[in-house]
């Protein structure tokens, strides 16, 4: 199983869960800081990192997707438009 990224607003959290292979980051962390933290955590787990970006232990690139702040989300429902 490859490493996944999760974001939280909770003041207390586990940064890495080895059972689920999830790295949890604070939601307020800027995108550039998120990559630095992920690379540091993976380095601590003895996963060699490239010069740019972050790599999982399997070699796949870890994508830090842009986050949409909760107040900008319109609804949990999906809208369908078109014919």
């Amino acid at each position: 199983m490859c490493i996944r990224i999760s974001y939280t607003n909770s003041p207390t959290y586990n940064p890495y869960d080895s059972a689920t292979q999830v790295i949890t980051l604070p939601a307020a962390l800027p995108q550039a800081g998120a990559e630095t933290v992920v690379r540091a955590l993976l380095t601590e787990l003895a996963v060699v990192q490239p010069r740019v970006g972050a790599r999982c232990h399997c070699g796949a690139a870890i994508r830090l997707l842009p986050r949409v702040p909760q107040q900008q989300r319109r609804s949990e429902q999906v809208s369908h438009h078109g014919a």
Side-chain angles (χ1 to χ4, degrees), residues 8-28:
T8 185
N9 289 319
S10 175
T12 58
Y13 61 92
N14 183 11
Y16 178 69
D17 184 357
S18 61
T20 59
Q21 300 280 318
V22 174
I23 293 175
T24 304
L25 301 172

Side-chain angles (χ1 to χ4, degrees), residues 4 24 34 71-72 76:
R4 294 174 299 147
T24 304
Q71 62 270 23
Q72 288 182 3
E76 295 299 322

Side-chain angles (χ1 to χ4, degrees), residues 23-54:
I23 293 175
T24 304
L25 301 172
L29 187 66
Q31 197 71 18
E35 183 173 313
T36 302
V37 171
V38 168
R39 288 176 54 85
L41 280 168
L42 291 170
T43 299
E44 286 294 317
L45 295 171
V47 179
V48 178
Q49 294 300 301
R51 297 185 126 225
V52 177

